[in-house]
Amino acid sequence: MRSFRFLGCSAALLLGLVSASSSFAQETKIKFQLDWRFEGPSALFLVAKSKGYFAQEKLDVAIDAGNGSGNAVNRVASGTYDMGFADMAALMEFAANNPDAPSKPVAVMMVYNDTPAAVFSLKKSGIRKPADLAGKKLGAPVFDAGRRAYPIFAKANGLDASKAQWTSMDPPLRETMLARGDVDAITGFYFTSLLNLNARGIKDEDIDVMMFPDYGVRLYGNAIIASDAMIRQKPEAIKGFLRAFAKASRDVMANPEAAIKVLKERDGLIDEKLELRRLKLAIASAIATPHAKSEGYGQVFAPRMTLMASQVSDAYGTKTRVNADKIWNGAFLPSRAELDVFPK
């Protein structure tokens, strides 16, 4: 009888060990690259980790700060990162300029349905509409998404982009140069340049903003991208990541204040009030927009994506034409019910 009891206990113990081992083996590690520093919008990803949504999908996700969409695309393409967050135009440019690259990332979920790119000027400059930019000095870093897409903005508004006078600078100097009059206008992300101008003592009422989407530019903004290896080898992990992200998106939009607390846990140096405003501006201007609500969170409208591919090919002067079908894969998206994240 003792032998049977021993064998029974041993079998149960062995079964438990096998089960635990199997569970452990199912956990997938994902290295994720943000497009920029830990600021308000990055709470979308950090909440998914903090609330255990990634863990529920058996994912161990490491989230790192970035230094630009172009670098995020390159790092995912190289295999240094498995997934990332990057501007669709930067992804398109990489694909078209590297047609023979062995690995090209693709977008798997749209987050910024509308590009946050905008033209900023001070009211005292008298720039009220696109036509007022003629003959003015424009400023932005050479890699700025708004500057790169300016030819699309110009064409949509009857301007000659070739006559634009650009001054280049490092990102920290962009708003400073506008504030002191070194340039007449700048391009930048709405929720970045506006707050940077505020930090330099310029009030909202003294700033004119021309949001690209309000002036005929229907470009998509940032999307979640995945490496070729992830697409081929770990499709279920991508699906789990996006399910977790959708849950977090719902939470963040329902309670931005709580989301910023999570961001503060990751980076104790952030200004909570500032980042809360940045997050709310991002949600209003790029995430929960009328276009996003019409197309569906996370999704894209094929004709619009095709148009963007053509516009980026022309504006960026890519080596080959952008093929919209090669840079988007919506097969991993959660169900429509799971993507119903906008507050009622």
Side-chain angles (χ1 to χ4, degrees):
M1 184 63 71
R2 286 186 187 136
S3 297
F4 281 122
R5 287 199 190 108
F6 176 76
L7 288 173
C9 292
S10 297
L13 178 60
L14 180 60
L15 183 62
L17 289 173
V18 169
S19 176
S21 175
S22 174
S23 176
F24 178 77
Q26 289 175 5
E27 186 175 79
T28 301
K29 293 184 180 297
I30 295 178
K31 290 188 65 179
F32 188 87
Q33 174 72 75
L34 290 172
D35 64 325
W36 200 238
R37 297 184 290 263
F38 289 112
E39 295 182 336
S42 60
L44 291 162
F45 300 96
L46 296 176
V47 166
K49 184 174 179 68
S50 176
K51 287 199 169 184
Y53 295 157
F54 287 139
Q56 290 170 15
E57 298 288 348
K58 293 185 170 57
L59 302 177
D60 180 8
V61 181
I63 303 170
D64 291 338
N67 56 354
S69 285
N71 282 326
V73 172
N74 287 329
R75 288 169 182 168
V76 174
S78 70
T80 305
Y81 284 84
D82 304 300
M83 300 178 70
F85 190 51
D87 183 62
M88 278 298 298
L91 180 66
M92 288 180 170
E93 181 183 27
F94 177 89
N97 282 343
N98 299 276
D100 299 322
S103 175
K104 290 188 282 290
V106 298
V108 293
M109 182 172 182
M110 187 58 60
V111 181
Y112 294 169
N113 189 281
D114 287 284
T115 175
V119 176
F120 294 81
S121 61
L122 302 185
K123 274 192 165 41
K124 63 184 180 182
S125 70
I127 298 174
R128 299 286 186 273
K129 56 187 182 300
D132 297 333
L133 292 169
K136 301 295 186 180
K137 294 180 182 178
L138 303 176
V142 293
F143 55 82
D144 175 69
R147 177 172 176 173
R148 301 296 307 282
Y150 183 78
I152 302 172
F153 174 87
K155 184 176 181 179
N157 294 281
L159 298 174
D160 185 348
S162 67
K163 293 184 179 180
Q165 304 172 42
W166 286 99
T167 297
S168 301
M169 74 286 287
D170 290 331
L173 293 176
R174 170 174 35 198
E175 290 79 19
T176 298
M177 292 184 71
L178 177 63
R180 67 190 187 195
D182 295 332
V183 294
D184 300 306
I186 60 173
T187 57
F189 272 12
Y190 176 56
F191 47 79
T192 298
S193 288
L194 179 63
L195 297 185
N196 287 346
L197 286 169
N198 292 160
R200 285 155 180 77
I202 302 176
K203 299 178 180 178
D204 285 2
E205 54 265 32
D206 296 323
I207 303 170
D208 263 313
V209 184
M210 287 183 276
M211 298 285 293
F212 276 28
D214 294 337
Y215 288 86
V217 180
R218 291 293 309 280
L219 300 180
Y220 286 107
N222 283 35
I224 296 174
I225 65 175
S227 70
D228 179 65
M230 283 290 291
I231 296 288
R232 289 185 289 104
Q233 301 169 12
K234 302 176 182 178
E236 293 305 315
I238 297 176
K239 291 179 181 179
F241 185 101
L242 299 186
R243 280 194 297 268
F245 180 79
K247 289 181 184 178
S249 297
R250 183 183 295 109
D251 292 348
V252 170
M253 283 185 267
N255 193 344
E257 290 80 5
I260 293 302
K261 297 294 183 184
V262 173
L263 178 63
K264 183 74 170 181
E265 292 172 3
R266 180 60 187 257
D267 185 350
L269 297 179
I270 69 159
D271 181 328
E272 291 185 63
K273 184 178 179 180
L274 176 71
E275 295 310 326
L276 176 60
R277 188 178 181 215
R278 191 192 310 278
L279 175 57
K280 289 183 175 179
L281 288 173
I283 292 172
S285 66
I287 300 173
T289 66
H291 291 147
K293 293 175 181 178
S294 173
E295 294 178 10
Y297 185 56
Q299 303 170 70
V300 301
F301 182 51
R304 180 181 167 193
M305 182 68 81
T306 300
L307 174 61
M308 179 178 176
S310 178
Q311 292 175 322
V312 168
S313 298
D314 293 336
Y316 286 48
T318 54
K319 292 179 181 178
T320 63
R321 303 293 294 179
V322 177
N323 185 340
D325 294 332
K326 299 293 186 182
I327 51 86
W328 169 258
N329 188 336
F332 308 99
L333 286 171
S335 68
R336 286 189 174 273
E338 291 170 308
L339 289 172
D340 183 13
V341 303
F342 298 128
K344 305 303 181 190

